[in-house]
Amino acid sequence: MDVRPVIVMTGATNGMGRLAALDLARRGASLGIVARSRPKADALRQEIEQVAPGTPVDVFQADLSLLSEVRAAGEEIAAHCPRIDVLINNAGLHAFSQRVTTEGYAEMTAVNYLAPWVLTDALRDKLIASAPARIVTVASRASRQAGTIDPLNDLTDTADFTRRGSSPRYGRSKLMDIMFTQELARQLQGTDVAATCCCPGFNATGLGRELPLAGALEKALTALNIGNPQHGADIIVKLATSPEFAASAGGYFAAKTGKPLQCPEIGRGDAVQHALWKATADLVHDS
């Protein structure tokens, strides 16, 4: 009988997600990888086989900017996996100009917040049935740059923005991840499913792909050991596997130290977090 923990993960083909996936495989996990690019997923599967031979790896293809594909992938995963011990919502995007998906959402909002919400919703019953289980979502201290939060408007805001104006938008999407985690944790009380989130720290890998000279900047920062993605990978793995975080429902934690962080004040508290949840549920269930 295979007793490997089953871990489903987004954003595993690059950067800290790739490092986390390799670490989880070494620790004996069975992996379910949600990825848009089949060649990248196949390359990761080969790399996992090299570092942890015999690791089961299933690939579920989806473009995380399209909620219909995320929902379909979630349903496929739920049907395929007899159990799910951990769901890791890691995929993220910092866009420096507005792009609107064919479904009418801002791409950054869709990838960073709506996709994790929809995937978690699709797998929620399976996670509860598999308890004890965990849900780990990658947020960011960039959430402090959000400035404001207005759930009804922010979820559907597709107005153009400048490169400089991208930071509050990115921060708001990550603030919503923290709010989502803390509301979800309240809803899951008594189920033995722990929902947590983390700030992975500044990561140079994939830094500002749309920025001029981004590749050269990434190499320079890497050479100086600034923005090491291993720090982000480590906190993801800890939240997914470490006994010390098994009961940390609603917790938000820092990379490197693992110390608890506070949700920024504008997104803190039951009322505003529940309002975001309800607005999201109404939006995605009607779409």
mmCIF file of all heavy atoms in Angstrom, residues 17 94 111 169 214 282:
data_model
loop_
_atom_site.group_PDB
_atom_site.id
_atom_site.type_symbol
_atom_site.label_atom_id
_atom_site.label_comp_id
_atom_site.label_asym_id
_atom_site.label_seq_id
_atom_site.Cartn_x
_atom_site.Cartn_y
_atom_site.Cartn_z
ATOM 1 N N GLY A 17 8.886 27.408 -6.823
ATOM 2 C CA GLY A 17 7.955 26.293 -6.915
ATOM 3 C C GLY A 17 8.645 25.017 -7.362
ATOM 4 O O GLY A 17 8.375 23.934 -6.835
ATOM 5 N N HIS A 94 3.417 39.012 -11.642
ATOM 6 C CA HIS A 94 3.448 40.476 -11.506
ATOM 7 C C HIS A 94 3.479 41.052 -12.909
ATOM 8 O O HIS A 94 4.516 41.034 -13.582
ATOM 9 C CB HIS A 94 4.663 40.943 -10.703
ATOM 10 C CG HIS A 94 4.618 42.405 -10.369
ATOM 11 N ND1 HIS A 94 5.171 42.928 -9.223
ATOM 12 C CD2 HIS A 94 4.072 43.465 -11.031
ATOM 13 C CE1 HIS A 94 4.972 44.242 -9.189
ATOM 14 N NE2 HIS A 94 4.317 44.584 -10.293
ATOM 15 N N VAL A 111 -4.798 35.144 -11.996
ATOM 16 C CA VAL A 111 -3.748 34.178 -11.665
ATOM 17 C C VAL A 111 -3.445 34.167 -10.172
ATOM 18 O O VAL A 111 -3.329 33.109 -9.547
ATOM 19 C CB VAL A 111 -2.466 34.474 -12.470
ATOM 20 C CG1 VAL A 111 -1.310 33.585 -11.994
ATOM 21 C CG2 VAL A 111 -2.715 34.252 -13.962
ATOM 22 N N ARG A 169 -1.585 47.148 -7.500
ATOM 23 C CA ARG A 169 -2.446 46.092 -8.042
ATOM 24 C C ARG A 169 -1.928 44.711 -7.630
ATOM 25 O O ARG A 169 -2.707 43.844 -7.217
ATOM 26 C CB ARG A 169 -2.518 46.179 -9.565
ATOM 27 C CG ARG A 169 -3.035 47.481 -10.108
ATOM 28 C CD ARG A 169 -4.500 47.714 -9.801
ATOM 29 N NE ARG A 169 -4.985 48.885 -10.486
ATOM 30 C CZ ARG A 169 -5.654 48.865 -11.641
ATOM 31 N NH1 ARG A 169 -5.923 47.713 -12.226
ATOM 32 N NH2 ARG A 169 -6.069 49.985 -12.193
ATOM 33 N N ALA A 214 15.765 42.572 -17.402
ATOM 34 C CA ALA A 214 15.381 41.734 -16.264
ATOM 35 C C ALA A 214 16.327 40.545 -16.109
ATOM 36 O O ALA A 214 16.708 40.188 -14.991
ATOM 37 C CB ALA A 214 13.941 41.234 -16.443
ATOM 38 N N ASP A 282 -19.824 34.786 -5.340
ATOM 39 C CA ASP A 282 -20.895 35.235 -6.246
ATOM 40 C C ASP A 282 -20.362 35.398 -7.658
ATOM 41 O O ASP A 282 -21.024 35.025 -8.631
ATOM 42 C CB ASP A 282 -21.488 36.554 -5.756
ATOM 43 C CG ASP A 282 -22.291 36.396 -4.469
ATOM 44 O OD1 ASP A 282 -22.639 35.255 -4.105
ATOM 45 O OD2 ASP A 282 -22.583 37.435 -3.836
#
